[in-house]
Amino acid sequence: MKNLKDILYQVAIDQVFGSTDIQINAVVFDSRKIEKNDVFIAQKGVSVDGHFYIEKAISLGAVAIICEDFPADKKTGITYIEVADANVALAIMASNFYENPSKKMPLVGVTGTNGKTTIASLLYQLFKKAGYKVGLLSTVKILVDDVEFKATHTTPDSVTINSYLDKMIDAGVDYCFMEVSSHGIHQKRTEGLTFAGGIFTNLSHDHLDYHKTFSEYRDVKKVFFDSLPKSAFALTNIDDKNGDFMLQNTKAKKVTYALKTLADYRAKILEKQFSGTLLKINETEVWTKLIGQFNASNLLAIFATAELLGLEKLEILTIISQLENVSGRFEYVISSDGVTAIVDYAHTPDALKNVLETINDIRNGNEKLITVVGCGGDRDVTKRPKMAHIASQLSSQAIFTSDNPRTENAQTILDEMEVGVAAENYKKTLSILDRRQAIKTACKFSETGDIILIAGKGHENYQEINGVRAHFDDLEEVKNCFNQLKNN
């Protein structure tokens, strides 16, 4: 139990009805999870307004209500607190409830369109190999040192974030690396957290179903850097035209990295193969198992972050040469016939272009490149034709298929993708609604030396259709196809 007055520290309060000197069991924003002596935060969400559930929360045992508008009927014995922004209040109260765990260890946030999961996950790997206890909050998984928890959002809600950070403190974790999404920033989930550093990867077409315009999407990302403390570092990729923009108003130490531009940290690709890449990072050569220009950029961000956090250069480079690919990020398997299948999470136009250009840069040109790709339902529709254009332009054969249609009609999504195919590429495209069948078709089309890219879902082990998630794993499917072809 915690005193409500203590939990409200630094929350901007407009007015109070009742006493704040009461004991609280938990901070809760979902009225269905309210128990006796909880405080309920009524948030105005995108589709649901928590103010409609205040009475329900009280009936289940809530003794305090945080809201933006007082209800007309205030019950005696219940404390009502009016705030300007319930999302901010929730984030600060969650941090206070768990005694501000982000202040007790270095917490580094990674934001941008592409590369967040790779950078955060590889930093976790690197610091583990350096002998530290490490925490990870990512799209793929949540790790409290060696203990793994399932991830449900790129950036979890404020209570979940702080509860895991608290677990990390209890486990003696030395560093934590966290993905910070634009949704998380916009919904104030990272308010109340103290970051030791922030990393900006890049910005491209994504989430415009939520943010509506690219400038709004960009400005939300910048808010994260604007809020960094003076004691933190702000590391930005200035190969991206938005890199400098992110640093304009930050109080943190400004640090830059780039492959193509003069920067504090620079890297150059010396040699590239499907087995790995030879890089020169700040004049020192290092071999890595990761491939592609995008991964060279990611590794440069990792090197810079590790050095900014106090690790020695030689130790960092030694460990970089040992780092393994992140689940669903350029994972590949080779069939007995010598066909290479690559599974990658690329679900934005820029990410798909990066992966396809990486493959085309390495292959000798005689083999076919067959791309299987779809677009998610209930998401930004404007990227669908762009994804199809890129896939058909940069592949020998493009197979459009279902991704996670969610509540949308999967055929409609394919129709909207096909609009983006240029006339000269139309003959090398094919639409197969069933994703399993699309992968099987790609395998049947392939011959020795060919490359299959299965893009969009990466690490996901499900497919969501009409609100129902059924097991589906791209890597598992292509392995099954290879085995079936081998046995035929």
Side-chain angles (χ1 to χ4, degrees), residues 36-193:
K36 188 178 180 182
N37 295 322
D38 288 347
V39 55
F40 174 63
I41 290 84
Q43 296 172 286
K44 292 182 178 178
V46 176
S47 56
V48 178
D49 186 347
H51 289 72
F52 291 121
Y53 299 95
I54 289 175
E55 292 298 318
K56 179 184 176 182
I58 293 170
S59 70
L60 291 172
V63 293
I65 304 295
I66 312 295
C67 55
E68 294 177 15
D69 302 299
F70 274 165
D73 179 25
K74 292 186 285 294
K75 300 190 181 301
T76 304
I78 303 296
T79 299
Y80 297 85
I81 298 169
E82 188 177 273
V83 295
D85 191 325
N87 292 335
V88 174
L90 171 64
I92 295 172
M93 291 173 71
S95 287
N96 288 337
F97 184 84
Y98 287 101
E99 298 179 356
N100 297 289
S102 64
K103 291 182 177 180
K104 299 175 183 177
M105 66 179 167
L107 172 65
V108 176
V110 189
T111 195
T113 304
N114 303 310
K116 294 188 298 294
T117 301
T118 297
I119 290 174
S121 300
L122 291 180
L123 280 167
Y124 170 87
Q125 270 193 53
L126 191 152
F127 277 77
K128 282 288 288 180
K129 289 179 182 294
Y132 295 97
K133 289 190 172 185
V134 193
L136 174 69
L137 293 167
S138 81
T139 303
V140 178
K141 65 181 79 171
I142 293 169
L143 288 163
V144 178
D145 199 29
D146 294 320
V147 182
E148 182 176 331
F149 300 88
K150 186 179 178 182
T152 57
H153 295 80
T154 302
T155 306
D157 64 81
S158 304
V159 176
T160 302
I161 291 171
N162 281 281
S163 68
Y164 280 120
L165 293 178
D166 186 53
K167 285 183 173 70
M168 292 176 195
I169 297 302
D170 288 344
V173 163
D174 300 297
Y175 297 91
C176 177
F177 302 101
M178 171 183 175
E179 290 186 52
V180 179
S181 69
S182 58
H183 289 69
I185 299 166
H186 188 257
Q187 294 170 13
K188 313 296 174 60
R189 297 180 212 161
T190 53
E191 291 279 338
L193 298 179

Side-chain angles (χ1 to χ4, degrees), residues 191-228:
E191 291 279 338
L193 298 179
T194 300
F195 286 92
I199 305 167
F200 170 73
T201 62
N202 50 66
L203 211 60
S204 64
H205 192 119
D206 200 17
H207 300 308
L208 298 193
D209 55 314
Y210 181 87
H211 295 292
K212 307 307 177 192
T213 67
F214 185 83
S215 59
E216 182 187 322
Y217 175 47
R218 177 202 63 197
D219 292 348
V220 166
K221 293 284 189 188
K222 182 177 177 292
V223 168
F224 172 66
F225 293 93
D226 291 350
S227 64
L228 289 175

